[in-house]
Amino acid sequence: MDRVYDHLVTLLADKFEVDAERIGPDATLDDLDLDSLAVVELYVTLQEEWQIPLDDSAAVADLTVADVARSVSALLDEPASGREAVQ
Amino acid sequence: MSEEIAVTGVGLVTPAGVGAEQTWKAVCAGRPTAQADPALSGSPVTMSCRVPPMERGPGRLWRFDHGTRFLLTAAREALGAASLEPGDWDPARVAVVVGTAAGGIGTLETQHRKLLTTGHGVLSPMTLPAFLPNMTAGHLALELGATGPSLQTSTACASGATALIIACLLLQSGACDIAVAGGTDAMVTPLCAAAFAKMGALSLRSHDPGSASRPFDKDRDGFVLGEGGGMLVLERGRHAAARAARPLALLAGHGTTSDAHHPTAPHPEGAGLRAATLAALEQTGAGPDDVDHINAHGTSTPLNDSVEATAIRELYPRRPPSVTSAKGVLGHTMGAAGAIEAALTVLSIVNGTVPPTANFTAPDDSTAGIDIVTTAGRAQPVRLALSHSLGFGGHNTVLAFTAA
């Protein structure tokens, strides 16, 4: 989970240019100014980077960063020490 | 023309550099930018003229195709040069006109590959907003907060010049007070390279990229695929004067015609180019003897350069203007070329300098008898200069710029 969360924070900061100080587990994607296209792009990016079938039809802006990280972790084989994201 | 149109700023992102000054210096130095391109390995032609790595620039990069990044950076530079700050203007009076042949085709290719290999699940939601050619103009209007008319022009390799003509007409009609106009394209992609090669349009000198783009030269064998963006700020002369902006040059006239001859080959006598030239000169209130300089389309393809040189030779029998093609240095930047070369033409007027045609050593029979500037470039007064742009589809545009 920590690894997934940390990766998510990096992705939000780098690709989506969210100020890292604003990112916390309880922040919603909406809080971070991700619009509907950005939320889907985030899910697609996570699918590709972790090579998991993350369903973007469930992607909505009121999910928190922790919610998203949990969805990714649940799809990984070993949630605590899973594979590295494919860059 | 009915009312004087001033060019108050230019911005360039080209294979020769990010910025108008960097590009101007490199074009004047006559150093070709064509290089081996590893991203085209496996293609029939494996060289290109790429824009060097850019600073990250304005936000939301994940939303944009490369071509849109070129455009946004060039527009920012042009507005800075014109001393215009978005926000200090009435946004409803600002128009955005962008020429592009293929919009975000690189994005489309990448996403289509994903669809075919991985499946639709990983398709980016930005596939269409980043690809659709009109979105170049849409993204720029959004970035500038410009709420006047915004649109895209598509006349293949004349697209950027057509954008300037449409911007000019919008200004003269009173539809806007400021037009941010030009062109962008990012067509250095595996599909575009292979498709142009299949047409026989590209130079096959991949073994020696620096010598490949050689406009008007007897040994020319095709163009080198390039990319870039060029933007100009246009205003009515009185509008520029009212805010004490100093014009770089005036867009004094323009001509636009269609060959109606063949899908991709130019008219054998360049009839459309000649008609566009005469129209541009008439609007300018000038004749052939008044033209000091021509920034030619000069693609380095056998046919284009023959037809263009023949038209130039016959249009200016008494006082031949100096002729150059920037494509020897920059390659063919597609829909951006018309705008990039318009900006270079303006800079020739400002600096009293005509850059050389890189790699031109000697003409063949069809390109002989015109005054092609070579090697070190030439210092000369440039009071009236034309910029030619021709595109697949038989589109011909001629822009006439005069000293301010």
Side-chain angles (χ1 to χ4, degrees), chain B residues 334-347:
Chain B
M334 304 279 104
I340 290 171
E341 291 159 16
L344 294 174
T345 307
V346 167
L347 294 175

Side-chain angles (χ1 to χ4, degrees), chain A residues 14-17 35 37-38 40-41 44 47-48 56, chain B residues 56 59-63 114 121-126:
Chain A
D14 285 356
K15 179 165 178 172
F16 296 92
E17 300 181 51
D35 64 14
L37 290 174
V40 176
E41 180 76 16
V44 167
Q47 273 192 69
E48 288 191 289
D56 61 60
Chain B
R56 192 172 174 112
R60 295 187 287 242
L61 283 192
W62 64 272
R63 292 179 187 262
K114 281 191 199 179
V122 293
L123 206 58
S124 169
M126 292 309 292

Side-chain angles (χ1 to χ4, degrees), chain B residues 378-393:
Chain B
R378 186 183 299 172
Q380 68 162 91
V382 184
R383 289 150 304 215
L384 168 58
L386 307 185
S387 177
H388 293 175
S389 295
L390 315 175
F392 283 178

Side-chain angles (χ1 to χ4, degrees), chain B residues 244-270:
Chain B
R246 224 176 97 204
L248 299 168
L250 305 178
L251 177 48
H254 51 79
T256 183
T257 64
S258 307
D259 281 346
H261 164 71
H262 182 274
T264 57
H267 185 278
E269 277 89 46

Side-chain angles (χ1 to χ4, degrees), chain A residues 2 23 25 27 34 62 64 75 87:
Chain A
D2 283 351
I23 305 172
L34 268 64
D62 58 7
T64 65
L75 291 165
Q87 292 298 333

Side-chain angles (χ1 to χ4, degrees), chain B residues 34-314:
Chain B
Q35 290 184 353
D37 188 337
L40 299 180
S41 73
S43 301
V45 169
T46 53
M47 64 182 160
S48 69
C49 296
R50 292 247 188 206
V51 168
M54 295 167 59
E55 285 178 26
R56 192 172 174 112
R60 295 187 287 242
L61 283 192
W62 64 272
R63 292 179 187 262
F64 304 140
D65 184 81
H66 288 306
T68 303
R69 293 186 59 203
F70 303 156
L71 163 74
L72 297 178
T73 302
R76 199 161 295 253
E77 184 190 14
L79 287 167
S83 302
L84 282 168
E85 185 69 38
D88 291 349
W89 57 28
D90 175 357
R93 301 294 301 163
V94 179
V96 166
V97 190
V98 181
T100 182
I105 192 165
T107 298
L108 185 69
E109 282 181 42
T110 301
Q111 296 300 322
H112 190 234
R113 203 174 301 125
K114 281 191 199 179
L115 177 70
L116 297 181
T117 54
T118 314
H120 63 81
V122 293
L123 206 58
S124 169
M126 292 309 292
T127 302
L128 290 173
F131 155 67
L132 293 173
N134 74 291
M135 292 301 291
T136 50
H139 284 306
L140 179 56
L142 175 61
E143 288 297 311
L144 300 180
T147 60
S150 68
L151 73 156
Q152 175 242 349
T153 58
S154 189
T155 52
C157 300
S159 296
T162 302
L164 295 170
I165 292 174
I166 299 298
C168 192
L169 296 174
L170 287 171
L171 285 161
Q172 288 171 333
S173 76
C176 60
D177 294 328
I178 295 166
V180 186
T184 193
D185 254 321
M187 290 176 67
V188 183
T189 69
L191 179 67
C192 293
F196 277 127
K198 189 68 85 178
M199 298 178 72
L202 295 184
S203 168
L204 298 176
R205 296 173 186 263
S206 294
H207 56 281
D208 185 13
S211 75
S213 183
R214 38 196 322 114
F216 301 111
D217 185 76
K218 61 182 171 46
D219 294 326
R220 68 190 182 280
D221 72 330
F223 71 79
V224 176
L225 193 51
E227 62 180 13
M231 294 300 287
L232 287 77
V233 176
L234 304 181
E235 307 169 56
R236 287 185 298 276
R238 279 182 299 174
H239 186 271
R243 65 180 193 88
R246 224 176 97 204
L248 299 168
L250 305 178
L251 177 48
H254 51 79
T256 183
T257 64
S258 307
D259 281 346
H261 164 71
H262 182 274
T264 57
H267 185 278
E269 277 89 46
L273 172 60
R274 292 175 201 232
T277 299
L278 296 177
L281 289 176
E282 186 182 346
Q283 277 192 2
T284 307
D289 292 351
D290 301 315
V291 178
D292 295 314
H293 169 58
I294 295 175
N295 191 300
H297 189 55
T299 57
S300 179
T301 62
L303 197 51
N304 174 84
D305 294 4
S306 296
V307 169
E308 189 175 12
T310 301
I312 291 172
R313 188 168 55 242
E314 294 178 5

